């Protein structure tokens, strides 16, 4: 269970944080290029959540664009690790 409870959308609305949405987005992107590895999508999403949770501010609410940037960073780092 994540310590994050909310995320800020592009509209500025604050909505509940759902790490499953990150995993789903990564998986859908993988499917678009011929991938079908749900476990890898889940693992990558967990890496993104861990980075977000490393923020020491107890009132921290990530912005959706920050999450998207972290997804890209994690994908690139994992691609270079292979």
């Amino acid at each position: 269970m994540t310590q994050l409870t909310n995320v800020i959308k592009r509209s500025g609305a604050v909505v509940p944080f759902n790490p499953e949405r990150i995993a789903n987005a990564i998986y859908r992107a993988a499917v678009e290029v011929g991938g079908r590895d749900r476990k890898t999508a889940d693992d990558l999403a967990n890496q993104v959540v861990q980075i977000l949770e490393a923020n020491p501010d107890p009132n921290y609410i990530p912005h959706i664009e920050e999450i998207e940037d972290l997804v890209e960073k994690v994908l690139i780092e994992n691609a270079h690790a292979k």
Side-chain angles (χ1 to χ4, degrees):
M1 180 88 183
T2 179
Q3 67 191 24
L4 299 169
T5 57
N6 294 306
V7 63
I8 302 170
K9 294 176 66 169
R10 283 182 184 77
S11 67
V14 177
V15 298
F17 178 76
N18 181 354
E20 185 68 20
R21 292 189 66 163
I22 298 171
N24 288 341
I26 293 170
Y27 182 71
R28 284 192 312 269
V31 168
E32 286 293 318
V33 295
R36 294 256 183 242
D37 189 346
R38 182 60 198 212
K39 182 178 178 341
T40 297
D42 291 340
D43 291 344
L44 293 168
N46 287 334
Q47 290 178 38
V48 171
V49 171
Q50 287 175 353
I51 294 168
L52 291 168
E53 288 178 336
N55 188 313
D57 180 356
N59 298 316
Y60 171 63
I61 301 175
H63 196 283
I64 189 69
E65 290 162 350
E66 177 184 3
I67 295 171
E68 290 171 350
D69 289 347
L70 286 174
V71 167
E72 290 176 13
K73 179 181 182 210
V74 165
L75 289 172
I76 290 167
E77 286 174 353
N78 280 271
H80 288 297
K82 292 188 177 194

